[in-house]
Amino acid sequence: MNNLRLEITDKDGHELKTNSWLQFNSEAREIYGLPLDDAVSKWQYRLTATDSGNESVTETVEISVQQHRGVRTVNHEINIAVKINEKNIHYIDWQLKLIEAIATTMGDNNTKSIVVREIRQTSQDPHTATLVYFNETVPTNQCPESELNNLVKHLDAQRLSDLVHPILGIKSITGQLTGPCQKLVSIKPKTPSISAKNSPPVPRNQVDRVVATTGHLLVYKVPSDTFFDPNDNELKLNLKTKDNKDLNPRHWLQFDVKNHEFYGIPKGGDIGPEEYLLVAEDSGGLTATDALVVQVNHAPKREFSVYFKIYLAIRHEQFNADLQRKFVERIAQLFGDGSTQNIQIRSVTTHHDADGTIVNFYNTTLFKMHNRCPEEEIEMARNVYLDGHAVRDKVKKLMGPELNVTNVQVSTLGICNPQTDVTHREFIPNRTEEPLLRSTFSDDYMFTIIMPAIIIVVMVLVAAIIACCLHRRRRKSGIPVIFQDELDEKPEIGNKSPIILKDEKPPLLPPSYNTSNMNGDNDVDEYVPPPAVVVGGREARGKSPATPSYRKPPPYVSP
């Protein structure tokens, strides 16, 4: 590890600038910095490690900067004007040096109670700056005039100068109340101070969280006391992404700069939290930032009874977030509703035949209740849009030429239409940067029919291949074992030539009978069989029984 050389660059691989809020000490191998309100965002850097063989590896380091919790209730600030004597020093280095000197002068063991709000510099003298901070130990439930006087009194300018010399020179130390405790006369400076011409805006009552529902129009007006600026009566507000970039014009959420309003219709794919930055800018170009979260939730599940389809003679890509807002607001106005919460957009599709746009939506008040079809309410809604089968002139006039309504269809659903008895479910498309809501027919067809069929076919093919492999392997695995009982007995062949043994002798002559014994003597010579044949040291025996011995017949006696 000690042989590695570490280096940090920005996400594009460029060297960190001297005025960057983040720096890297290569000798101590430490990342340090001082993020202010304008640095509230997510930052990415590249950390590169190089060994002695000049081989290197790079990883991405992400740092998230959030606003300090005490910014909302801050009621004072202390300004220390300094002169920067060293020209090549990093901005962060002299700022941290001054903060440590302040803590030492106040007798604190650390700098946790010091919260820096701003570093003010003038273009006339780039070597002069003012550090603005507040002390967290000061109470916020009242105007701390006496406590602020004590803090400024304990900040000994001479001791502070000795601690920061020769890098900095202390020019003045002042304190003043801010926010609701602000007075026309600030605390008397200990040394002549340089008055600032413009003070930046300060976040006061931050927005924090905004909740939206899929398919429903969100309109949120930023409260007037979200930011405070002592110099300007009005601030210019703008909404940016969490990366401090301008919103994509096709993103579902947009910001009305004139009226200070969030507006848009989230899709099902936008469900979940998303971070944004609300930026306030005064006339002098100074800014303050408020980080907020927009939470998109599912729409309540209901079994709707009627389904509205309106055809617009405008191109699909032109139906942006602004026109979508006007569409929903004018539909609500058509029914005399003061709120747009009863209008739920299901999808926005392209009408290919007329190169137009089709908006599909529900009226959330028309849904199945207690297994009853609200036929009267559906008929009243139909009469608002249609006169017979034609669109009423009142509808076309109210929607205006911007939307240009050409046709309206009202279709019943569920128990109100037994032929279909279809329950329309919530539209959940894939999340995109486009604010337009698209049809789900192709997605539903793909995920409910095509994909399961493909998965089943693949599983069957895999199972067949595995079975074939196992069968072939079983046929090739070794010589089969055959037991004796399994062998078929072969019949003996009748015309088989006899086997002549090596020591076999010719058969003996037939026995001779002694006919000369005429005395009637019964003694006869017994037949003696030939000796057994020995083959290979063993006596060979035939299958037939041993030949019995014979006697001579009795002598013949003539009558």
Side-chain angles (χ1 to χ4, degrees), residues 120-146:
R120 299 173 185 170
Q121 288 186 292
T122 58
S123 57
Q124 292 82 3
D125 187 1
H127 299 292
T128 300
T130 301
L131 185 140
V132 182
Y133 76 96
F134 68 90
N135 194 305
E136 276 195 306
T137 60
V138 175
T140 58
N141 56 354
Q142 59 183 359
C143 294
E145 187 171 357
S146 60

Side-chain angles (χ1 to χ4, degrees), residues 241-258:
T241 65
K242 61 183 179 182
D243 299 325
N244 203 20
K245 296 180 180 179
D246 293 335
L247 292 175
N248 190 322
R250 300 185 67 81
H251 188 58
W252 76 268
L253 184 64
Q254 297 296 321
F255 186 74
D256 187 350
V257 178
K258 181 179 180 180

Side-chain angles (χ1 to χ4, degrees), residues 455-474:
I455 293 173
I456 292 173
V457 171
V458 171
M459 292 176 64
V460 171
L461 289 177
V462 172
I465 293 172
I466 294 174
C468 292
C469 294
L470 292 176
H471 181 67
R472 293 185 62 186
R473 182 177 179 183
R474 183 177 179 184

Side-chain angles (χ1 to χ4, degrees), residues 147-422:
E147 290 84 353
L148 183 58
N149 280 321
N150 292 332
L151 288 176
V152 176
K153 183 178 180 181
H154 282 82
L155 278 174
D156 187 0
Q158 184 60 44
R159 176 171 170 75
L160 194 61
S161 298
D162 295 339
L163 292 174
V164 297
H165 184 77
I167 300 176
L168 301 174
I170 303 300
K171 300 183 65 175
S172 66
I173 302 175
T174 62
Q176 64 181 8
L177 298 175
T178 61
C181 297
Q182 186 178 19
K183 296 182 178 180
L184 295 176
V185 180
S186 61
I187 298 177
K188 185 177 180 180
K190 299 178 66 174
T191 57
S193 62
I194 302 175
S195 59
K197 294 182 180 180
N198 185 24
S199 298
V202 178
R204 178 174 291 177
N205 297 317
Q206 295 166 302
V207 175
D208 282 344
R209 194 176 191 86
V210 178
V211 179
T213 305
T214 56
H216 291 268
L217 175 64
L218 168 68
V219 178
Y220 179 84
K221 186 174 181 62
V222 178
S224 59
D225 60 347
T226 302
F227 296 94
F228 170 77
D229 187 80
N231 305 106
D232 293 342
N233 294 325
E234 292 186 2
L235 295 173
K236 180 182 178 181
L237 301 183
N238 196 6
L239 187 67
K240 297 187 177 183
T241 65
K242 61 183 179 182
D243 299 325
N244 203 20
K245 296 180 180 179
D246 293 335
L247 292 175
N248 190 322
R250 300 185 67 81
H251 188 58
W252 76 268
L253 184 64
Q254 297 296 321
F255 186 74
D256 187 350
V257 178
K258 181 179 180 180
N259 298 317
H260 296 175
E261 290 178 342
F262 304 148
Y263 67 94
I265 302 175
K267 305 177 290 294
D270 298 310
I271 291 175
E274 184 71 22
E275 296 181 8
Y276 298 91
L277 297 178
L278 182 62
V279 181
E281 182 179 356
D282 64 8
S283 58
L286 300 179
T287 61
T289 305
D290 174 23
L292 58 96
V293 175
V294 177
Q295 174 70 40
V296 180
N297 297 329
H298 287 280
K301 293 185 178 181
R302 293 178 178 176
E303 194 171 334
F304 295 105
S305 303
V306 65
Y307 179 58
F308 299 94
K309 182 180 292 188
I310 293 185
Y311 294 78
L312 306 178
I314 58 176
R315 296 178 62 86
H316 184 271
E317 56 270 14
Q318 295 176 353
F319 194 58
N320 52 22
D322 185 47
L323 288 180
Q324 290 182 34
R325 176 181 179 177
K326 292 180 179 179
F327 176 86
V328 175
E329 289 178 341
R330 292 174 185 178
I331 290 294
Q333 185 180 354
L334 189 64
F335 283 88
D337 294 336
S339 172
T340 61
Q341 293 305 307
N342 293 333
I343 307 299
Q344 180 179 337
I345 301 293
R346 181 181 184 271
S347 64
V348 177
T349 58
T350 302
H351 189 201
H352 298 285
D353 295 339
D355 195 18
T357 302
I358 303 175
V359 183
N360 308 288
F361 66 96
Y362 304 113
N363 188 322
T364 57
T365 61
L366 301 176
F367 62 94
K368 184 180 72 172
M369 297 180 61
H370 308 294
N371 292 325
R372 182 186 68 87
C373 176
E375 297 179 356
E376 296 181 0
E377 292 84 350
I378 293 175
E379 188 62 28
M380 291 175 60
R382 189 193 305 272
N383 293 332
V384 171
Y385 293 107
L386 301 173
D387 183 7
H389 295 284
V391 181
R392 292 184 179 272
D393 294 337
K394 176 185 176 181
V395 176
K396 294 183 178 180
K397 183 177 180 181
L398 183 61
M399 299 301 285
E402 294 175 297
L403 298 172
N404 195 4
V405 177
T406 59
N407 190 16
V408 177
Q409 291 183 3
V410 181
S411 303
T412 54
L413 300 170
I415 60 174
C416 296
N417 189 354
Q419 295 181 356
T420 58
D421 196 13
V422 176

Side-chain angles (χ1 to χ4, degrees), residues 473-522:
R473 182 177 179 183
R474 183 177 179 184
R475 293 184 61 184
K476 294 181 180 181
S477 59
I479 301 174
V481 179
I482 302 176
F483 295 95
Q484 186 175 1
D485 296 340
E486 297 177 354
L487 296 174
D488 296 334
E489 295 184 359
K490 298 181 179 179
E492 296 183 359
I493 303 175
N495 299 327
K496 188 166 61 173
S497 61
I499 299 175
I500 301 175
L501 301 178
K502 181 178 180 182
D503 298 333
E504 188 174 2
K505 296 180 181 182
L508 299 176
L509 296 175
S512 59
Y513 297 95
N514 187 2
T515 58
S516 61
N517 190 357
M518 303 299 290
N519 298 323
D521 192 0
N522 292 333

